[in-house]
Amino acid sequence: MAEPVRARSDAAAELRVDGARLLDRLTDLAAVGAIDGGGVCRLALTEHDRDAREVVVAWMHDLGLDVHIDAIGNVIATRGGRRPDLAPVMCGSHIDSVRTGGKYDGTFGVLAGLEVIETLERAGISTDRAIAVAFFTDEEGARFPPDMLGSLVYAGGLDVETALDTIGIDGARLGDELARIGYGGPFPCPGPPPHAFVEVHVEQGPVLEAAGITIGAVTSVQGISWQEISVTGQSNHAGTTPMSMRHDAGHAAARIAVAVREVIAAVGRHQVGTVGSLRLQPDLVNVVAGRATLTVDLRNTDEAELRRAEELLADAVATIASDEHVEIESRSTARFEPVEFDERVIALVDDTARTLGYSVRRMPSGAGHDAQMLARVCPTGMIFVPSHKGLSHNVAEHTDPADLEAGANVLLHTLLALSTESALLDDADRGAPAQIGERES
Ligand code: GLV
Ligand code: MN
Ligand code: MN
């Protein structure tokens, strides 16, 4: 085990980001795909996602970064270091959103990374290791499941051909949409493992604000299980069909939604579950629904409990199919076990926040993040800042500008510490480090 990485104590220790500049970029990006209420709609690989990509890539070029796009559309921009023989330190997140997204989910992590780069540039500070800022394709998975698809491919957890063949909720093929928006790049996947990865993100939950704490040093991400459930019954006349003779897909779907709540109560503790989409066909007032399609999102910090929830739900679904005389098929669309972050990176975030004078708490993440995929290939950690009223995946998502600035300052000094030659060197000693943008030989 290496020594803990220490926050820097030299002249760079005085360095701080420019919060106003960070907020300006966040505001400009929020105009792309803006929707009523202050949020954004930038579903992955739509025109709005493309327009947002163009804005961020232009900023990357303005900062003099070396910009690479890989075969799944991940964009990685690098500021060189003094030691090109060493693997870069990477930060980043995503700029796609759910249909009713907030303006900080993901974008904060990307634009805080650019703010760190601009701060270093203006101060004339160079680093041993290069620093890379990435945005990954389709983090939300709202259009093309699973979530974190681009970072999963980057980390080698899903092969690129399979990912390109993913069919979205609108019937589109991911690879066709990627080509259509011009973001199928020449660089291979999986990508080269960075020396370390750090993602700053809004908490998206109520914990930090309720406790009056500025920074979360994220310890882990809970496991995620998504399934799409299709119910097939028989559509029939709402007035003439006796209740005992119905094959009512709508009623079966409603019972499944209630069963999800019962499963959560039975598993208890940290189990959460959501039916976020429910569609009936033909979806008319006087027709018994012949078909229903619904989604279930189950999450738990404990893998065994998550598996128990899945099993209890499968049992309930089988009972409902039999009771209601309908056929039910379940298809897994995402399944990720809980992830623990690297203790040294967690400690560095914690230590850095304290050194900068911010209150800090160690905490797990309820949401999924690109960092959980990068954790497969390098020491990884995350920095959280408070979300007002715990709202996210909601147009009213808000974080106080002072908290955004604080999170970016913690990112700056965490990256500075990790970009010194020797930090975490034992883990990085995995043979000659590939540089970002290196092509397959
Ligand atoms: C990603 O935002 C997720 O947690 O669903
Ligand atoms: Mn996010
Ligand atoms: Mn999100």
Side-chain angles (χ1 to χ4, degrees), residues 93-94 96 104-107 139-140 148 199 201-202 204 367-370 382 392-393 397:
S93 191
H94 61 98
D96 70 318
Y104 299 140
D105 178 358
T107 55
E139 188 272 353
E140 294 290 2
M148 289 81 68
E199 180 171 358
H201 204 286
V202 292
Q204 309 183 269
H369 295 290
D370 293 309
M382 289 190 74
S392 190
H393 288 184
E397 176 191 86

Side-chain angles (χ1 to χ4, degrees), residues 10 22 76 107 122 126 212 232 235 242 299 305 319 335 361 364 399 413:
D10 57 20
L22 169 62
I76 296 144
T107 55
R122 285 176 182 258
S126 62
T232 307
S235 59
R299 305 195 194 198
E305 288 183 4
T319 303
R335 184 64 170 87
R361 166 183 288 190
T399 295
H413 287 278

